[in-house]
Amino acid sequence: YQDGLLGTPIYDGGTGDAEARAVELVRFDLAQLTRGLMHMATKYKPDLITHYTPQIDSAGHTLMAFLDPSLPGHDPKLAAKIRPYYEDVIKLHDQWVGTAYDALSKDYAFVIVSDHGMEGTNRKVYINKILVDAGLAMVDESGKLDTKRSKIFAPGWGEFGLVVNDTTWKGGIVLPGERAAVIEAATNALLAARDPQLGTQIVRAVFDAAQIRHLGLGGVNGQDVYLDFAKGYAPSSAMSKTVASVTNGLGGNGVHGFLPLRDKMQAICYVGGKGVQARGELRGVRQIDIHPTVCEL
């Protein structure tokens, strides 16, 4: 769809044929998922069935920059043309779930979840460029980030946060007594950074992992520092000559990975079917609650 293989997208002046074809592909995909689910349930009668579809995620990454009304530069007329196709993708998923629920809920409990929300962005912030300019990160002769000589940096596997290159890492260079000062210097640099084109603040908050451990962040597999970005900005760990720029291609992207306290990062959770009593709205459900709930059911 983005490459134009289904026709000209609406955002490039298309008539909607490309979007209609993309929705039809989703329809066929979900029909196949439905057949597989019903076959599994009726033939094998397993204790547990798990199913997943990436289609809403894919549609969100592709279209949310056009649909998010809070994104700077939002075009409501263009959004009105695109939104019906995005809604069709969601409606098709409702039908997929509804078909399975109607057929199987007498024998099975259902737990229906998404793993994240989606937020529109149209600008990139290059975190490691800010840290290099502050003298906290280093680049090698080719201009790439030199993690061995950097005190703190945004790793390629997690650009929404920072890792302190302390002596708990092999070859680490930040001594235990220096850790707090390195984080403070990085915090000051990030909060002071401004978009060179717009003059606006890019990073609006910096959290030590210990401050937000209750959100499931940090730990041995997490990062040492987490960042909250101004509206419209998505982080990149790539090196750049500037600290911020317009997102290449399309009109932006739908992005997830921001702190879960942001409204648009909120996920869904519905529980029903066999053995589940209707109780109305559940509040404060966390990702780590899902697995033990399924096990209990």
Side-chain angles (χ1 to χ4, degrees):
Y1 168 75
Q2 288 177 302
D3 291 340
L5 298 179
L6 302 181
T8 303
I10 287 177
Y11 55 78
D12 278 339
T15 61
D17 288 345
E19 288 74 15
R21 291 174 180 132
V23 170
E24 189 69 2
L25 290 173
V26 174
R27 186 190 309 276
F28 285 131
D29 184 67
L30 290 173
Q32 180 70 3
L33 286 179
T34 301
R35 287 194 293 269
L37 177 61
M38 302 303 288
H39 173 75
M40 173 65 68
T42 56
K43 181 174 182 178
Y44 297 103
K45 302 186 187 310
D47 295 321
L48 174 67
I49 305 173
T50 61
H51 240 205
Y52 169 75
T53 168
Q55 304 296 355
I56 293 178
D57 178 73
S58 297
H61 280 300
T62 306
L63 301 175
M64 190 57 69
F66 303 108
L67 301 178
D68 190 339
S70 65
L71 185 63
H74 176 71
D75 183 345
K77 292 184 179 179
L78 179 60
K81 294 179 181 179
I82 294 175
R83 182 173 296 278
Y85 300 100
Y86 183 72
E87 291 179 348
D88 283 346
V89 172
I90 298 175
K91 290 176 182 178
L92 288 171
H93 285 76
D94 283 342
Q95 294 172 10
W96 169 57
V97 170
T99 298
Y101 190 86
D102 289 344
L104 304 175
S105 58
K106 291 181 179 179
D107 299 316
Y108 285 95
F110 276 67
V111 181
I112 305 162
V113 296
S114 60
D115 53 342
H116 54 71
M118 192 73 70
E119 187 170 320
T121 68
N122 54 15
R123 298 186 73 79
K124 283 281 188 184
V125 50
Y126 298 95
I127 301 300
N128 288 322
K129 169 62 174 171
I130 298 173
L131 298 175
V132 167
D133 289 347
L136 297 167
M138 305 292 288
V139 295
D140 60 21
E141 295 179 354
S142 67
K144 295 182 179 179
L145 180 70
D146 188 340
T147 58
K148 293 182 179 179
R149 295 193 299 130
S150 297
K151 294 181 179 180
I152 187 170
F153 57 90
W157 49 263
E159 50 206 2
F160 286 85
L162 309 178
V163 170
V164 178
N165 187 20
D166 60 32
T167 52
T168 62
W169 290 88
K170 182 179 180 180
I173 61 175
V174 177
L175 299 174
E178 301 172 332
R179 185 180 185 279
V182 168
I183 291 178
E184 181 180 7
T187 298
N188 293 336
L190 290 165
L191 293 178
R194 295 295 184 270
D195 189 312
Q197 292 178 304
L198 305 179
T200 53
Q201 186 177 24
I202 302 171
V203 179
R204 63 186 188 185
V206 180
F207 299 94
D208 189 290
Q211 295 176 272
I212 48 178
R213 189 63 55 84
H214 62 287
L215 298 178
L217 299 170
V220 294
N221 294 319
Q223 288 146 281
D224 299 302
V225 176
Y226 290 89
L227 311 178
D228 189 30
F229 298 90
K231 182 62 190 175
Y233 289 90
S236 172
S237 62
M239 287 305 303
S240 173
K241 295 181 179 179
T242 182
V243 300
S245 66
V246 175
T247 301
N248 292 328
L250 296 175
N253 299 106
V255 174
H256 53 85
F258 299 105
L259 290 178
L261 296 176
R262 291 168 79 119
D263 289 343
K264 290 185 173 64
M265 291 299 99
Q266 297 297 302
I268 63 167
C269 177
Y270 296 95
V271 184
K274 184 179 180 181
V276 179
Q277 181 178 348
R279 296 261 179 165
E281 184 176 353
L282 299 172
R283 291 185 178 273
V285 178
R286 301 166 299 170
Q287 294 288 5
I288 60 173
D289 298 324
I290 303 303
H291 179 246
T293 300
V294 171
C295 289
E296 177 70 16
L297 292 171

